[in-house]
Structure formats: C-alpha cells, structure tokens
Amino acid sequence: MATQVTSPKIVPSGTWLDRWQPEDAAFWEQTGKKLAWRTLAITTANLTMAFVVWFLVSALVVKLPNIGFKLDASQLFWLTAMPGLAGGTLRIVHTFLIPIYGTRHTVAISSLLLLLPLLGWAYVVQDPSTPYWVLLVLAFLAGLGGGNFSSFMPSTSLFFPKRLAGTALAIQAGVGNFGVSLVQFVTPWIIGAGLFGSLAGAPQTFTKAGVTSDIWLQNAALVWVPFVLVFGLLAWFMLKSVPVQANFKEQLDIFKLKHGLFMTILYIMTFGTFSGFSATFPLLIKQLYVTLDSTIDPLHWAFLGPLVGSIARVLGGPLSDRLGGAKVTHWAGIGMLACTIGVIFYVNPTSAADFPWFVTFMLGVFLFSGVGNASTFKQMPMLFPPRQAAGVIGWTAAIAAYGPFAAGMLMGLSISWFGSPVVFFVWAAIYYTGCIALNWWYYARKGAEAPC
C-alpha cells in the first residue's frame, strides 16, 4: 500500500495540498509528477540566487583593497568566513521551517530577503571609508542565502518518490551550487562598465601594478536584484506545500538518530569542503600566487572550482540512484583525499610555475566533493522515513554550511601562524580518512549495518 504524506492538522487551502502520494504510481503519473517537477524548477531557480548571494562576498573581497579599502589578509579572510558563519546558523533555523510554514511561504519569503545584502553591498563598495564592522554585518547578511538550502532541499525530498530522490536532490543542489561559480565568473565582466548609468552610482578607481582603471563594483550585487525579485514572486504565486506538518518539538526526534549524526559527519566532508573551498579559493589564489605573478586574476580561475563541483553533483545523483549512495560516497571520499594530499605540495609555492598543478588538484577536490554531495543526499532518504529524512537533510546541510566560516578562519590562522595553509590541508586529509572509514563500516561494506 502506498504511503500517503498527509496530516490531519492541515486544512487544504491555496497553500497546502490536500494529499500527496508520490510512491503511488497512478497518483504520481496523473497528478504528482507535473507539480513536483514544476516545484523543483522554481525552487532551484531561487536556490541558485541564494548561492549567488551567499558567495557574493568571495567575489568582492579580492577587489576591495584595489579600490581603496584598507584591509589586511586576516580581515579579508574574516569577511569570506562571515557568510559561512551566518549560513550555518540560519540553516539550523531553516531545518524546521517546512513542516511548520510549508514550501510556498518559506521559499518565497526567504528568497525575497536576499534583496537586503544585495542592496547593502551595492551601496557600501562605493565608499572605501565604510567601517569594517559594517562590512562584517553585510557579510553576515549574505549568509541569508546560505540558510535557504536547509529548507529548500528538505522540501524537495517530500515531493519525489524515493527512486527519484537522488536525481531530484542532485539536480536542485547541483544547479543551485552553480550560483557560486556564476557570481565568481560574472563579476569580473559586469564591473567593467556602467550598466545602470548614474542611478547605480559613480565608478571606483581600480589600481593594480601601478595601472589605474574605472570599475563599477556595485554592479556585482545589483545585477542579481531583478532575478531575485522575479524568482521570489514566482515562488509566492506558483508553489504549493506538501501536507506534512510537525511542530518544533516533534521535529527534535532527529537528534536521537545515530545515523543522523553519522550522515552529518559525512556531509561535512563533502559539502563542507565544497562550500569552504568555494569561498576561499579566490583569496587563496590571491595570497599564494598573485604575489608571484601579478597577471593572475583570481576570479578568472576560482569560478572553475564550484563549476566543476556543481556539474559533478548533478551527474552524481543518477549515478547514486543506480549504484547506491554509500558506494559512490566511498570512492568520492578516496578521490578527495588523494587530491587534497596533492594540493599540499603546491600551497607553499616559490614559483608561479606551480600554479597549474595547484589549480588541477583543487579542481579534483571540487570534482569529488560534488559527487559526494549527491551521493550522501541519496543515502539520507534511504535511511529515514520522509519527515525525518527531510529534517536530517536540513540539519546536515546546516552544519556543513559552516564550511566557509571554518575554512576562512582556519586557513587564515594557518597562514598567520605557520606562513602557509599547509597545516590546514593536512588536517583536512586526516578528517577525510576518518570519514571514508566511517562510511565504509556502516554503509558501504558487505554486511554493513545500514547499506544505502
């Protein structure tokens, strides 16, 4: 008998559906499929904008010193870390929103709130005398985008049958993650002209290697405002909410789940790495290699990392549906470990000739972390019933979202204490080794306690 996702507490309305039975083949073909894929498309568009806003700061900080902001390396790393701190904290809140407020209200309102950091950053980059604490506050507000993941993804897990869960979640997360690459790729191009005329403000004088030019850094934020507004309104007028509901106290049962804890540890390995390295990759290039070769532009290279990881996540979903999430996570972890060990040899460079190898190994880390992001999200719906699976997905995503904060802070400390980020990458390799062993023992080996 198909399991109906419903609750007697819910009164069908313009927001809440009256029933939802994705495991019922007839219901899925006649009613569920069209609505589920439409919801996925709209939510994914909003999630992409959320990642754009979350990683906007990583694209801005590499330009701030060149337009007159007096910021040292430690302050720059803290600016890249703050969205991660906020994103992780806000994801904890988002973990519990869908069963209380539903998909429509949660997605629409949280998406429209992204206008706050966009407009704020567009204003302050035009004034190099802006106090550092204001920059920190706006960097924290950029974390609003990071928080959205932990409600958007659990929502999607409710709309699809288990056989398609890995694919649907991988598409949403992979395309959403593409927002990281998008903002880092687009920024260097759109800041070169006054796209919005005098309405957006005057240009800034950009100085590099003694050469000056005009840039409009505010464009990096303003260009996304129309998209955020349109996608947020689409969510408000076109989305519905699955009839599954629980109050805050009822949802706390996920913290009694042993495998919920283990999946959190594994998702820190995959998404914590992806988000942390995405935030710090541009600044890492600037600190390690631009000093050796001033022709290297961090944003011309850094976008490749999240791009590779995002594509890998999309492809990793169907692969995990076919082979099993645990097996794919196992090999993704091994790939991450090998590439991280490779990176260690190129983060204390003496020549710019090391740069291609550094980029290659970093892209390898992004590749395997993207695959692992998809496979771990395949494991969770297989381990838990729908409502608990949604909660575990939200919680694991919340904790892993501290990746930018942890990476920015720890890399900065590693550089200031030891002169290079080598110690940070050694620690990462040790952590990956432990995660590989954990996943193999409980999920991937023959005779595992919970094969998934």
Side-chain angles (χ1 to χ4, degrees):
M1 180 181 294
T3 300
Q4 180 173 335
V5 181
T6 189
S7 168
K9 302 176 183 178
I10 292 176
V11 178
S13 65
T15 294
W16 297 95
L17 297 164
D18 59 348
R19 70 188 183 101
W20 191 252
Q21 296 174 293
E23 302 296 345
D24 184 316
F27 174 86
W28 177 252
E29 289 298 325
Q30 296 171 9
T31 304
K33 181 165 64 174
K34 181 178 179 180
L35 180 57
W37 287 107
R38 185 182 75 188
T39 301
L40 178 68
I42 295 173
T43 308
T44 300
N46 280 284
L47 185 61
T48 303
M49 290 300 101
F51 271 90
V52 163
V53 174
W54 194 21
F55 285 86
L56 173 67
V57 179
S58 72
L60 294 176
V61 293
V62 295
K63 302 294 185 181
L64 294 180
N66 300 89
I67 60 173
F69 284 83
K70 306 300 182 183
L71 302 169
D72 60 30
S74 177
Q75 289 175 313
L76 292 172
F77 272 109
W78 269 104
L79 285 176
T80 62
M82 288 304 289
L85 175 62
T89 303
L90 293 171
R91 281 190 180 192
I92 295 174
V93 176
H94 274 267
T95 296
F96 304 101
L97 294 184
I98 292 298
I100 298 175
Y101 299 108
T103 296
R104 179 195 174 203
H105 286 86
T106 301
V107 173
I109 294 173
S110 59
S111 294
L112 292 173
L113 285 173
L114 300 177
L115 295 172
L116 295 176
L118 286 176
L119 295 174
W121 275 106
Y123 178 76
V124 301
V125 296
Q126 301 178 60
D127 182 7
S129 67
T130 300
Y132 182 59
W133 70 266
V134 174
L135 300 180
L136 287 174
V137 169
L138 285 173
F140 189 89
L141 283 177
L144 287 168
N148 293 359
F149 189 90
S150 281
S151 56
F152 290 20
M153 294 293 286
S155 166
T156 296
S157 74
L158 295 174
F159 275 92
F160 286 84
K162 287 188 175 182
R163 64 185 175 83
L164 294 175
T167 298
L169 290 170
I171 291 173
Q172 181 168 50
V175 176
N177 290 171
F178 178 66
V180 184
S181 182
L182 190 62
V183 70
Q184 293 178 347
F185 174 76
V186 169
T187 295
W189 301 100
I190 62 172
I191 63 177
L195 299 180
F196 305 100
S198 60
L199 293 175
Q204 301 87 50
T205 300
F206 182 84
T207 304
K208 183 177 181 181
V211 178
T212 62
S213 59
D214 286 341
I215 67 169
W216 288 259
L217 197 55
Q218 61 267 36
N219 290 357
L222 290 176
V223 71
W224 307 111
V225 169
F227 295 99
V228 169
L229 187 60
V230 170
F231 294 157
L233 292 175
L234 279 176
W236 181 260
F237 289 109
M238 297 189 68
L239 293 186
K240 299 290 185 180
S241 301
V242 169
V244 55
Q245 195 172 46
N247 61 36
F248 176 77
K249 184 177 180 180
E250 290 169 335
Q251 296 181 68
L252 295 179
D253 62 351
I254 64 172
F255 299 113
K256 300 177 182 178
L257 303 172
K258 177 179 70 174
H259 293 294
L261 172 62
F262 293 161
M263 291 310 303
T264 301
I265 293 171
L266 294 179
Y267 198 59
I268 291 172
M269 174 182 70
T270 56
F271 185 75
T273 294
F274 173 85
S275 61
F277 287 7
S278 293
T280 55
F281 196 22
L283 194 53
L284 199 58
I285 293 174
K286 181 179 178 68
Q287 295 296 319
L288 298 180
Y289 284 96
V290 173
T291 54
L292 298 173
D293 184 352
S294 62
T295 65
I296 296 174
D297 187 333
L299 293 184
H300 286 169
W301 294 95
F303 82 93
L304 291 172
L307 175 63
V308 168
S310 300
I311 294 173
R313 186 162 193 168
V314 174
L315 299 178
L319 182 67
S320 300
D321 278 339
R322 181 175 181 179
L323 301 179
K327 291 181 180 178
V328 176
T329 299
H330 177 72
W331 289 107
I334 291 175
M336 290 176 64
L337 175 61
C339 292
T340 299
I341 292 173
V343 169
I344 292 172
F345 293 97
Y346 298 99
V347 291
N348 194 18
T350 57
S351 167
D354 291 338
F355 184 64
W357 286 106
F358 169 73
V359 171
T360 298
F361 281 114
M362 284 294 293
L363 292 183
V365 176
F366 278 107
L367 171 68
F368 289 110
S369 69
V371 173
N373 284 333
S375 59
T376 47
F377 264 31
K378 169 63 177 177
Q379 290 174 261
M380 285 179 252
M382 303 302 294
L383 289 169
F384 312 106
R387 199 266 299 162
Q388 286 186 332
V392 172
I393 287 172
W395 176 255
T396 58
I399 301 305
Y402 284 109
F405 173 70
M409 180 182 65
L410 294 176
M411 280 190 192
L413 290 175
S414 181
I415 291 173
S416 65
W417 290 354
F418 303 101
S420 80
V422 168
V423 172
F424 169 83
F425 283 96
V426 169
W427 175 87
I430 294 171
Y431 183 76
Y432 298 160
T433 301
C435 289
I436 294 167
L438 175 69
N439 180 71
W440 177 81
W441 180 259
Y442 282 102
Y443 309 118
R445 68 183 174 90
K446 185 177 181 180
E449 177 181 317
C452 54

